[in-house]
Amino acid sequence: MALLLALMMGLTAMTVSAVGDSATASVVLDAMDNRVLYAKNADARRAMASTTKIMTAYLICLHADLEKTVSVTREMVAVEGTSMYLSVGDSVTFRQLLYGMLLSSGNDAANAAAIGLCGSLSAFVTLMNEEAVQLGLTATHFDTPSGLDGPTHYTTALDLARLTAKALQNEEFSAVCRTKSVTLTYGGKQHTLTNHNRLLSSYEGAIGVKTGYTDKAGRCLVSAAERNGHRLVCVTLNDRNDWADHKALLDYGFTLYDQIKAVIEGESLVLPIVSGQEKEVLLTCPDITLAGVRAEQVEKRVLAGRYGYAPIHAGDALGMVEYRVGDSVLARQYLTAQSDVLPAKQPTFISLLFNNVKKILHTI
């Protein structure tokens, strides 16, 4: 089909200034289709601190019997940093360790879960890296299950967002990371664990996910939120203003799901007709609503032949409209004839004779 008309709707590239954040690297991802809605240095390798525990917790959800108990050893608790306050000899379930990892960010919880599942930290780290390969996280490598820094312990904002989107599909993981607080009994005592994620109480629709900090990584935060059937994941790495930035970035992401009318009601195009009783026909298409993009990003291309040939019936598809952002086609619609066009009447012998007689008379 030849290009009949191309209507540009101000295609523009999204820039950091559209939102603005303080992070070294950041991304907002549609968790349903892994579409990137916002990115800043999203492919840069960075230390990830305790956001590592997203992978650790996800693997426990996949491979462990969550009601099975782990007997805490000295190796499990011989780790610095944040803790769920396990002691040697405690019996704790894998489910309780999930809460310890995702709420209290317990490094002891991560080590206990890793050793409890695989027998050693090194075996569990191997499992982490194998899972990263399976998920296509090509710029991610793990050295520890807790997130303590290692020489080859790194990820990217985009890889971390994709991992989180996958992990949130697991019901157990999702339920734990959205929990604000929980009271558990282990070591003969009750322990109330409170989620470090402030967004659960301060941002509408927040459902998680994980905080992190080391001197090398800086402040790291992975959040997720749901509104009107849409789920977004936001990641910032090395961000001194992460709480405010996540609210702004998530707000921006959700604005992209405003209902955008890409076709003006009643809009039509004229197509010339060959050998018809009418010289042209109107082409129309129904209204369409696009979500996940801003109107100014959309390019509308109308494709049709140079001519139509009678007969044409109302509703015949005579062209197509494409809605694009860059090289991606978001939607297509057929352009259809608004009315019938009958073939031109063929002259009969009597009409030809009559016309010839009229010509002869005019010359006398």
Side-chain angles (χ1 to χ4, degrees), residues 322-354:
E322 284 187 347
Y323 304 93
R324 308 171 66 95
V325 173
D327 294 330
S328 298
V329 178
L330 304 182
R332 292 186 176 97
Q333 283 188 302
Y334 284 117
L335 280 164
T336 58
Q338 193 174 37
S339 57
D340 295 336
V341 179
L342 299 176
K345 292 180 180 180
Q346 296 299 320
T348 65
F349 173 77
I350 298 298
S351 65
L352 287 173
L353 178 60
F354 179 76

Side-chain angles (χ1 to χ4, degrees), residues 54-248:
I54 294 171
M55 175 63 93
T56 303
Y58 176 57
L59 289 174
I60 295 303
C61 290
L62 287 183
H63 300 293
D65 176 353
L66 298 186
E67 303 311 320
K68 182 178 178 180
T69 59
V70 174
S71 181
V72 177
T73 67
R74 187 168 303 280
E75 182 185 11
M76 294 175 181
V77 297
V79 59
E80 61 181 304
T82 50
S83 173
M84 69 178 290
Y85 301 106
L86 296 174
S87 298
V88 176
D90 287 350
S91 289
V92 60
T93 67
F94 279 107
R95 187 182 302 279
Q96 289 174 322
L97 292 173
L98 285 178
Y99 284 109
M101 279 186 275
L102 294 178
L103 274 66
S104 297
S105 198
N107 292 341
D108 54 353
N111 278 10
I115 296 170
L117 181 66
C118 292
S120 69
L121 292 177
S122 61
F124 187 83
V125 168
T126 297
L127 182 63
M128 296 173 79
N129 288 313
E130 289 174 348
E131 185 66 24
V133 171
Q134 289 295 317
L135 294 177
L137 309 181
T138 57
T140 295
H141 189 273
F142 297 100
D143 289 348
T144 68
S146 63
L148 292 178
D149 295 325
T152 57
H153 193 79
Y154 55 78
T155 190
T156 68
L158 182 56
D159 271 7
L160 193 51
R162 288 173 174 163
L163 168 62
T164 302
K166 182 67 175 179
L168 285 169
Q169 295 175 15
N170 183 282
E171 292 183 3
E172 298 288 356
F173 179 94
S174 181
V176 172
C177 73
R178 71 176 69 201
T179 301
K180 294 179 181 179
S181 67
V182 66
T183 299
L184 307 174
T185 300
Y186 50 88
K189 299 178 182 178
Q190 283 193 335
H191 301 263
T192 298
L193 308 183
T194 301
N195 203 316
H196 292 178
N197 185 359
R198 300 179 193 172
L199 296 179
L200 291 175
S201 299
S202 63
Y203 188 80
E204 179 188 353
I207 60 170
V209 177
K210 190 68 192 74
T211 59
Y213 175 80
T214 65
D215 288 342
K216 180 179 179 180
R219 292 176 61 89
C220 301
L221 180 60
V222 179
S223 67
E226 294 177 336
R227 291 183 188 174
N228 300 320
H230 303 293
R231 176 184 290 176
L232 303 185
V233 172
C234 180
V235 176
T236 54
L237 301 177
N238 188 30
D239 185 357
R240 65 184 182 276
N241 196 32
D242 49 7
W243 301 116
D245 285 344
H246 275 244
K247 290 178 181 180

Side-chain angles (χ1 to χ4, degrees), residues 232-288:
L232 303 185
V233 172
C234 180
V235 176
T236 54
L237 301 177
N238 188 30
D239 185 357
R240 65 184 182 276
N241 196 32
D242 49 7
W243 301 116
D245 285 344
H246 275 244
K247 290 178 181 180
L249 289 168
L250 288 168
D251 280 347
Y252 172 79
F254 283 119
T255 66
L256 298 181
Y257 291 89
D258 290 343
Q259 299 299 286
I260 299 168
K261 221 159 225 194
V263 174
I264 301 171
E265 186 174 356
E267 184 177 37
S268 61
L269 300 170
V270 175
L271 183 69
I273 300 299
V274 174
S275 301
Q277 293 186 21
E278 306 292 338
K279 293 182 179 180
E280 58 189 28
V281 67
L282 290 178
L283 303 183
T284 62
C285 63
D287 291 348
I288 186 172

